[in-house]
Amino acid sequence: MVDSDLVEFVTRSLRDDTRETFERRVDEQADRLRDALRGTTLDSPGFGLGIELEAYAIDEAGRLARVPEQVLAGPCARELGVHNVELNTVPDRFDDAGIAEQERKLRRALERTRAIAREHDAEVVADAMWTTPPTEGTAAYLGDVEEADGVTVARNMTGSPRYHAIDNHIVDEVGGAVSLEVPGVERAFPTILFESLTCSIQPHLQVPEAASFPRYYNAALATLPPVLALSTNAPLLPPDLYGDDTVADPDALLEETHHELRIPVFEASVNGAWEKARVPNRIDRPTDVVDRLVADPTCAPVLREWVAEGGRETFGDRFWELDHKRGTYWRWVRAVAGGQPVGRGDRRSIRLEYRPLPTQPTIDDSIALLCLVVGLVHGLVVADHPAIALERDEIERGFYDAAANGLEADVPWRTADGEPTTDPDAIYDEAFALARRGLRDRGVSAERIDAAIGAFEDRWERRRTPSRWKLERVRERLEAGATFDDAVRGMQAAYVDRSGAGTPFSEWP
């Protein structure tokens, strides 16, 4: 039976009067936030960094499974699907000790989460996309819905009213079905739940002065193509989503598929009504991030009094509806303004949220990727590097090429001399050098820099990412006579074993 409170919440969210009140509050709060950005209210004591990591649960047979409730009482949060979890770290200073603390926190959180899950016959997998379906099959699982008073409830979606309101608003806007088209798959789903195929890792970088934020934001945009190409980890969907042609000729699919299917899957799930998930435009002023957010179409509005608890109003409460709207502003880089900063005092902060990256196989790989992102972004700014001036259209082309072709993509760049180049050796040599420079500038030890950036230099030198490893393992099994379904399942089982053992990706055979 559908929860009547959930249905009532979704119904209220989709009313015209709710939207009107919500948008009026957003406009008022945006004016206050612009004033804060023009001054020093959002300046913080120093650089900070943090990380989010998404994962999923499987049962003892390796099939997708619901996350045990006991896990959700531990060091993690719910995500879109009942099989998803998210691990977050409290942010630390961007320096050597801060990175070490981030690694300790993330490793401890994942170990505790896995230990609790194993007590209940489940395993938590650090992966970018699940491919072994639950017992009933992928389409049945993702399409399992119930209708109540005009509200569609996906049974395998987390019970968060916010998620269900977003789902119903998007599905209503697209006429009742959400389409997915990627190599080998053309399907329509009754909800956006197929987004829960994907898992991401999201580095955060706190910038001390709001006035310098545009420089860091534009630098982050420039890094999207090369960093995504180095981190791809989602080349295949569950085999039972593919059609008969794929089953008959799986080799063709392996040639055509994208190295990072998480990008088109996420965009397909939310972009049917509005183009919300995309590469954002460059910014010139800190207030541009507010202007872009306000102009974005409103999706599933919620009013603070529906969920707020009593007590003294905080800084964030003054921008509650505006921050809620940011939750559906799905740009691949976005700003988060007003959060508690790293450092002393009661100031607020502004930070970058770097969103396009797939979950990596191990904690070592995740922390290395965090270092690559924050080191490269900071290195570009410290060096006043010409790549910061890359145009949005160039970045967008390179970004989607990287999602499709991984390390074979044409990545846009400007050299230190300001010359455009598509020479991958020159691009990655500069990118790695800049990442090392950015980390050194923040006092990160040579040992840590060599371990983190060296892991990605190894990927480039060997032309080997997690997505390539997955495709190679499937090809090997096909050549040995396995069916496509068995080849994918075998690859996934091997991935789970190596990821669960904590063996860094660079050491995988």
Side-chain angles (χ1 to χ4, degrees):
M1 179 180 294
V2 175
D3 184 340
S4 60
D5 290 340
L6 186 151
V7 172
E8 197 271 338
F9 185 102
V10 172
T11 302
R12 278 196 298 171
S13 173
L14 301 185
R15 290 197 318 232
D16 289 343
D17 60 330
T18 295
R19 187 185 70 253
E20 291 165 3
T21 301
F22 179 87
E23 291 180 345
R24 183 177 68 252
R25 292 182 186 179
V26 164
D27 288 341
E28 294 168 352
Q29 293 163 16
D31 286 339
R32 294 201 295 270
L33 189 56
R34 291 186 188 98
D35 288 341
L37 285 165
R38 293 186 186 105
T40 60
T41 304
L42 296 179
D43 289 356
S44 53
F47 287 97
L49 77 173
I51 195 168
E52 300 176 15
L53 185 149
E54 296 172 354
Y56 60 81
I58 59 174
D59 63 19
E60 291 179 306
R63 298 169 300 210
L64 189 73
R66 179 183 290 264
V67 175
E69 285 298 317
Q70 295 83 353
V71 170
L72 297 167
C76 62
R78 300 177 188 272
E79 253 295 328
L80 181 65
V82 296
H83 52 275
N84 295 130
V85 294
E86 179 181 283
L87 306 177
N88 298 288
T89 61
V90 175
D92 290 289
R93 295 188 306 274
F94 178 10
D95 57 22
D96 193 63
I99 292 172
E101 186 63 12
Q102 285 291 296
E103 179 178 358
R104 185 193 69 80
K105 290 173 182 174
L106 191 62
R107 191 179 302 280
R108 183 168 182 264
L110 184 58
E111 288 174 352
R112 289 181 60 198
T113 297
R114 282 177 165 163
I116 297 169
R118 286 165 184 163
E119 290 175 358
H120 300 277
D121 303 322
E123 180 65 56
V124 172
V125 182
D127 192 8
M129 182 168 286
W130 52 270
T131 56
T132 304
T135 305
E136 66 268 39
T138 303
Y141 180 84
L142 297 175
D144 188 4
V145 300
E146 188 172 353
E147 304 288 336
D149 298 329
V151 172
T152 300
V153 177
R155 290 191 178 93
N156 294 309
M157 184 178 289
T158 297
S160 163
R162 171 180 171 267
Y163 285 139
H164 288 275
I166 292 171
D167 184 28
N168 277 264
H169 197 171
I170 290 174
V171 172
D172 286 351
E173 289 289 326
V174 298
V178 188
S179 297
L180 173 64
E181 293 187 19
V182 296
V185 175
E186 291 186 19
R187 285 182 178 265
F189 297 91
T191 79
I192 67 168
L193 186 61
F194 67 86
E195 178 199 319
S196 71
L197 286 159
T198 72
C199 293
S200 71
I201 183 171
Q202 297 181 16
H204 292 222
L205 176 62
Q206 174 189 299
V207 177
E209 297 178 354
S212 66
F213 187 78
R215 195 75 173 154
Y216 279 89
Y217 187 93
N218 294 334
L221 294 185
T223 69
L224 290 177
V227 173
L228 180 62
L230 287 164
S231 59
T232 54
N233 190 24
L236 294 168
L237 298 174
D240 61 346
L241 285 182
Y242 293 102
D244 293 339
D245 290 345
T246 296
V247 174
D249 188 7
D251 291 326
L253 173 72
L254 299 184
E255 290 295 326
E256 296 170 4
T257 193
H258 296 183
H259 277 262
E260 192 49 48
L261 283 171
R262 177 180 170 268
I263 301 299
V265 167
F266 184 87
E267 291 190 352
S269 70
V270 299
N271 275 1
W274 317 278
E275 192 184 356
K276 282 175 163 283
R278 65 176 190 264
V279 175
N281 293 319
R282 293 166 51 85
I283 62 173
D284 299 315
R285 298 168 297 275
T287 53
D288 287 347
V289 299
V290 183
D291 298 340
R292 307 274 172 78
L293 175 56
V294 172
D296 200 53
T298 295
C299 177
V302 174
L303 305 181
R304 178 178 174 242
E305 58 267 25
W306 297 1
V307 298
E309 299 178 357
R312 184 174 62 88
E313 183 180 67
T314 66
F315 182 91
D317 291 335
R318 297 179 58 220
F319 303 96
W320 196 92
E321 281 79 6
L322 184 66
D323 194 53
H324 180 84
K325 184 168 184 175
R326 179 181 57 81
T328 63
Y329 183 76
W330 291 300
R331 302 307 190 267
W332 291 118
V333 173
R334 68 185 182 191
V336 183
Q340 180 68 38
V342 177
R344 296 178 180 177
D346 59 356
R347 301 177 183 179
R348 297 292 131 182
S349 72
I350 185 166
R351 70 179 188 267
L352 285 166
E353 190 179 71
Y354 199 97
R355 296 170 45 80
L357 304 180
T359 294
Q360 298 297 289
T362 70
I363 296 300
D364 286 338
D365 299 309
S366 298
I367 295 300
L369 185 53
L370 170 66
C371 290
L372 176 66
V373 171
V374 298
L376 179 53
V377 171
H378 186 59
L380 282 165
V381 176
V382 168
D384 192 24
H385 197 277
I388 299 175
L390 281 167
E391 294 296 329
R392 187 260 183 187
D393 289 349
E394 296 179 90
I395 296 167
E396 182 183 51
R397 285 193 297 271
F399 177 74
Y400 290 110
D401 198 359
N405 297 307
L407 293 176
E408 299 298 323
D410 286 331
V411 171
W413 198 250
R414 298 283 186 278
T415 67
D417 296 328
E419 294 298 319
T421 184
T422 57
D423 177 1
D425 287 312
I427 291 168
Y428 286 107
D429 282 350
E430 274 205 3
F432 294 136
L434 287 162
R436 287 173 175 273
R437 177 174 179 177
L439 293 171
R440 284 197 304 271
D441 184 76
R442 298 302 310 146
V444 180
S445 68
E447 181 182 14
R448 190 176 301 281
I449 292 172
D450 287 343
I453 306 307
F456 286 94
E457 289 170 333
D458 177 77
R459 291 189 185 191
W460 171 244
E461 289 166 5
R462 299 170 64 190
R463 304 299 195 270
R464 195 163 183 253
T465 58
S467 65
R468 283 196 172 188
W469 183 91
K470 289 178 175 180
L471 293 172
E472 288 168 1
R473 301 292 81 73
V474 172
R475 286 191 178 98
E476 288 173 358
R477 286 168 168 79
L478 290 172
E479 290 170 1
T483 65
F484 179 62
D485 183 87
D486 286 344
V488 174
R489 288 174 184 266
M491 172 277 291
Q492 192 65 52
Y495 179 99
V496 169
D497 286 346
R498 287 169 173 76
S499 172
T503 307
F505 176 72
S506 60
E507 299 177 16
W508 289 19

Coordinates of all heavy atoms in Angstrom, one line a residue, residues 222 225-226 380 385-391 394-395 397-398 401 409-431 434 460:
A222 N 37.3 23.6 -17.5 CA 38.3 23.2 -18.5 C 38.9 21.8 -18.3 O 39.3 21.1 -19.2 CB 39.5 24.2 -18.5
P225 N 36.9 17.4 -19.6 CA 37.2 16.3 -20.6 C 38.4 15.4 -20.2 O 38.2 14.2 -20.2 CB 37.5 17.1 -21.9 CG 36.7 18.3 -21.8 CD 36.9 18.7 -20.3
P226 N 39.6 16.0 -19.9 CA 40.7 15.0 -19.6 C 40.4 14.2 -18.3 O 40.8 13.1 -18.2 CB 41.9 16.0 -19.4 CG 41.3 17.3 -19.1 CD 40.0 17.4 -19.8
L380 N 45.9 25.1 -12.2 CA 45.6 26.0 -13.3 C 45.5 27.4 -12.8 O 46.0 28.3 -13.5 CB 44.2 25.5 -13.9 CG 44.3 24.3 -14.8 CD1 42.9 23.8 -15.1 CD2 44.9 24.7 -16.2
H385 N 47.0 29.6 -16.0 CA 47.2 28.9 -17.2 C 46.1 29.2 -18.3 O 45.0 29.4 -18.0 CB 47.1 27.4 -16.9 CG 47.6 26.5 -17.9 ND1 46.9 26.1 -19.0 CD2 48.9 25.9 -18.0 CE1 47.7 25.4 -19.8 NE2 48.9 25.2 -19.2
P386 N 46.6 29.3 -19.5 CA 45.6 29.7 -20.6 C 44.5 28.7 -20.8 O 43.4 29.1 -21.4 CB 46.5 29.6 -21.8 CG 47.9 29.9 -21.3 CD 48.0 29.2 -20.0
A387 N 44.6 27.5 -20.3 CA 43.5 26.5 -20.5 C 42.2 27.0 -19.8 O 41.1 26.6 -20.1 CB 43.8 25.1 -20.0
I388 N 42.3 27.9 -18.8 CA 41.2 28.4 -18.1 C 40.3 29.1 -19.0 O 39.0 29.2 -18.8 CB 41.6 29.3 -16.9 CG1 42.4 28.5 -15.9 CG2 40.4 29.9 -16.2 CD1 43.0 29.4 -14.8
A389 N 40.8 29.7 -20.1 CA 40.0 30.4 -21.1 C 39.3 29.6 -22.1 O 38.7 30.2 -23.0 CB 40.9 31.5 -21.7
L390 N 39.4 28.3 -22.0 CA 38.7 27.4 -23.0 C 37.2 27.8 -23.1 O 36.6 28.0 -22.1 CB 38.8 26.0 -22.6 CG 40.2 25.3 -23.0 CD1 40.2 23.9 -22.3 CD2 40.3 25.1 -24.5
E391 N 36.7 27.8 -24.3 CA 35.3 28.2 -24.5 C 34.4 27.0 -24.1 O 34.8 25.8 -24.3 CB 35.0 28.6 -25.9 CG 35.7 29.9 -26.3 CD 35.2 31.1 -25.5 OE1 34.0 31.1 -25.2 OE2 36.0 32.0 -25.3
E394 N 33.9 24.3 -26.8 CA 35.0 23.3 -26.9 C 35.0 22.3 -25.8 O 35.2 21.1 -26.0 CB 36.3 24.1 -26.8 CG 36.6 25.1 -27.9 CD 37.9 25.8 -27.6 OE1 39.0 25.3 -28.0 OE2 37.9 26.8 -26.9
I395 N 34.7 22.8 -24.6 CA 34.7 21.9 -23.4 C 33.6 20.9 -23.6 O 33.7 19.7 -23.3 CB 34.5 22.7 -22.1 CG1 35.7 23.6 -21.9 CG2 34.3 21.8 -20.9 CD1 35.5 24.6 -20.8
R397 N 32.1 19.7 -26.3 CA 32.4 18.7 -27.3 C 33.4 17.6 -26.7 O 33.3 16.4 -26.9 CB 33.0 19.3 -28.6 CG 32.0 20.0 -29.4 CD 32.6 20.4 -30.8 NE 33.7 21.3 -30.7 CZ 33.5 22.6 -30.7 NH1 32.3 23.2 -30.8 NH2 34.6 23.4 -30.7
G398 N 34.5 18.1 -26.1 CA 35.4 17.2 -25.5 C 34.9 16.4 -24.4 O 35.2 15.2 -24.2
D401 N 32.8 13.6 -25.9 CA 33.7 12.7 -26.6 C 34.4 11.8 -25.6 O 34.6 10.6 -25.8 CB 34.7 13.5 -27.4 CG 35.4 12.6 -28.5 OD1 35.2 11.4 -28.6 OD2 36.3 13.2 -29.2
A409 N 39.4 10.0 -26.8 CA 38.7 11.2 -27.1 C 39.6 12.3 -27.6 O 40.8 12.4 -27.2 CB 37.9 11.6 -25.9
D410 N 39.1 13.2 -28.4 CA 39.8 14.5 -28.7 C 39.5 15.5 -27.6 O 38.4 16.0 -27.4 CB 39.2 15.0 -30.0 CG 39.7 14.3 -31.2 OD1 40.8 13.7 -31.1 OD2 39.0 14.2 -32.2
V411 N 40.5 15.7 -26.8 CA 40.4 16.6 -25.6 C 40.9 18.0 -26.0 O 42.0 18.1 -26.5 CB 41.2 16.0 -24.4 CG1 41.3 17.0 -23.3 CG2 40.6 14.7 -24.0
P412 N 40.1 19.0 -25.7 CA 40.5 20.4 -26.0 C 41.5 20.9 -24.9 O 41.3 20.6 -23.8 CB 39.2 21.2 -26.0 CG 38.3 20.5 -25.0 CD 38.7 19.0 -25.1
W413 N 42.4 21.8 -25.4 CA 43.4 22.3 -24.4 C 44.0 23.5 -25.0 O 44.0 23.8 -26.2 CB 44.4 21.2 -24.1 CG 45.2 21.5 -22.8 CD1 46.5 21.8 -22.7 CD2 44.7 21.4 -21.5 NE1 46.9 22.0 -21.4 CE2 45.8 21.7 -20.6 CE3 43.5 21.1 -20.9 CZ2 45.7 21.7 -19.2 CZ3 43.4 21.1 -19.5 CH2 44.5 21.4 -18.7
R414 N 44.6 24.4 -24.1 CA 45.5 25.4 -24.5 C 46.8 25.1 -23.7 O 46.8 24.9 -22.5 CB 45.0 26.8 -24.0 CG 43.7 27.2 -24.7 CD 43.9 27.7 -26.1 NE 42.6 28.2 -26.6 CZ 41.7 27.5 -27.1 NH1 41.8 26.2 -27.2 NH2 40.6 28.0 -27.6
T415 N 47.9 25.2 -24.4 CA 49.2 24.9 -23.8 C 49.6 26.1 -22.9 O 49.0 27.2 -22.9 CB 50.3 24.7 -24.8 OG1 50.5 25.9 -25.6 CG2 49.9 23.6 -25.8
A416 N 50.7 25.9 -22.2 CA 51.2 27.0 -21.3 C 51.5 28.3 -22.2 O 51.5 29.4 -21.7 CB 52.4 26.6 -20.6
D417 N 51.8 28.1 -23.5 CA 52.1 29.2 -24.4 C 50.8 29.8 -25.0 O 50.9 30.7 -25.8 CB 53.0 28.7 -25.5 CG 54.4 28.3 -25.0 OD1 54.8 28.9 -24.0 OD2 55.0 27.4 -25.6
G418 N 49.7 29.2 -24.6 CA 48.4 29.7 -25.2 C 48.0 29.1 -26.5 O 47.0 29.6 -27.1
E419 N 48.7 28.1 -27.0 CA 48.4 27.6 -28.3 C 47.3 26.4 -28.1 O 47.5 25.6 -27.2 CB 49.6 27.0 -28.9 CG 50.7 28.0 -29.3 CD 50.2 29.0 -30.3 OE1 49.5 28.5 -31.3 OE2 50.4 30.2 -30.2
P420 N 46.3 26.4 -29.0 CA 45.4 25.3 -29.0 C 46.1 24.0 -29.4 O 47.0 24.0 -30.3 CB 44.3 25.7 -30.0 CG 44.5 27.1 -30.3 CD 46.0 27.4 -30.0
T421 N 45.7 22.9 -28.7 CA 46.3 21.6 -29.1 C 45.3 20.5 -28.9 O 44.5 20.6 -28.0 CB 47.6 21.3 -28.3 OG1 48.2 20.1 -28.8 CG2 47.3 21.2 -26.8
T422 N 45.4 19.4 -29.7 CA 44.7 18.2 -29.4 C 45.7 17.0 -29.3 O 45.2 15.9 -29.3 CB 43.7 17.9 -30.6 OG1 44.5 17.9 -31.8 CG2 42.6 19.0 -30.7
D423 N 46.9 17.3 -29.1 CA 47.9 16.3 -28.9 C 47.8 15.7 -27.5 O 48.1 16.4 -26.5 CB 49.3 16.9 -29.1 CG 50.5 15.9 -28.8 OD1 50.1 14.7 -28.5 OD2 51.6 16.2 -28.9
P424 N 47.3 14.5 -27.4 CA 47.0 13.9 -26.1 C 48.2 13.8 -25.2 O 48.1 14.0 -24.0 CB 46.4 12.6 -26.3 CG 46.8 12.2 -27.7 CD 47.0 13.5 -28.4
D425 N 49.4 13.5 -25.7 CA 50.6 13.4 -24.9 C 50.9 14.7 -24.3 O 51.3 14.8 -23.1 CB 51.8 12.9 -25.7 CG 51.6 11.4 -26.0 OD1 51.3 10.6 -25.1 OD2 51.8 11.0 -27.2
A426 N 50.9 15.8 -25.1 CA 51.2 17.1 -24.6 C 50.1 17.5 -23.5 O 50.5 18.1 -22.5 CB 51.2 18.1 -25.7
I427 N 48.9 17.2 -23.8 CA 47.8 17.6 -22.9 C 47.9 16.9 -21.5 O 47.9 17.6 -20.5 CB 46.4 17.3 -23.5 CG1 46.1 18.2 -24.7 CG2 45.3 17.4 -22.4 CD1 45.0 17.7 -25.5
Y428 N 48.1 15.6 -21.5 CA 48.2 14.9 -20.3 C 49.5 15.2 -19.5 O 49.5 15.3 -18.3 CB 48.0 13.4 -20.4 CG 46.5 13.1 -20.7 CD1 46.1 12.8 -22.0 CD2 45.6 13.2 -19.7 CE1 44.7 12.5 -22.3 CE2 44.2 13.0 -20.0 CZ 43.8 12.7 -21.2 OH 42.5 12.4 -21.5
D429 N 50.6 15.4 -20.2 CA 51.8 15.8 -19.6 C 51.6 17.1 -18.8 O 52.0 17.3 -17.7 CB 53.0 16.0 -20.6 CG 53.5 14.7 -21.1 OD1 53.2 13.6 -20.4 OD2 54.3 14.7 -22.0
E430 N 51.0 18.1 -19.5 CA 50.7 19.4 -18.8 C 49.7 19.2 -17.6 O 49.9 19.8 -16.6 CB 50.2 20.4 -19.8 CG 51.2 21.2 -20.5 CD 50.8 22.5 -21.0 OE1 49.6 22.9 -20.7 OE2 51.6 23.2 -21.6
A431 N 48.7 18.5 -17.9 CA 47.7 18.3 -16.8 C 48.3 17.7 -15.6 O 48.0 18.1 -14.4 CB 46.5 17.4 -17.4
L434 N 50.5 20.2 -13.8 CA 49.7 21.2 -13.1 C 49.1 20.6 -11.9 O 49.0 21.3 -10.8 CB 48.6 21.7 -14.1 CG 49.1 22.7 -15.2 CD1 48.1 22.8 -16.3 CD2 49.5 24.0 -14.6
W460 N 47.3 6.6 -18.0 CA 47.5 7.2 -19.3 C 48.6 6.4 -20.1 O 48.4 6.1 -21.2 CB 47.9 8.6 -19.2 CG 48.4 9.2 -20.5 CD1 49.6 9.7 -20.8 CD2 47.6 9.3 -21.7 NE1 49.7 10.1 -22.1 CE2 48.4 9.9 -22.7 CE3 46.3 9.0 -22.1 CZ2 48.0 10.2 -24.0 CZ3 45.9 9.2 -23.4 CH2 46.7 9.8 -24.3

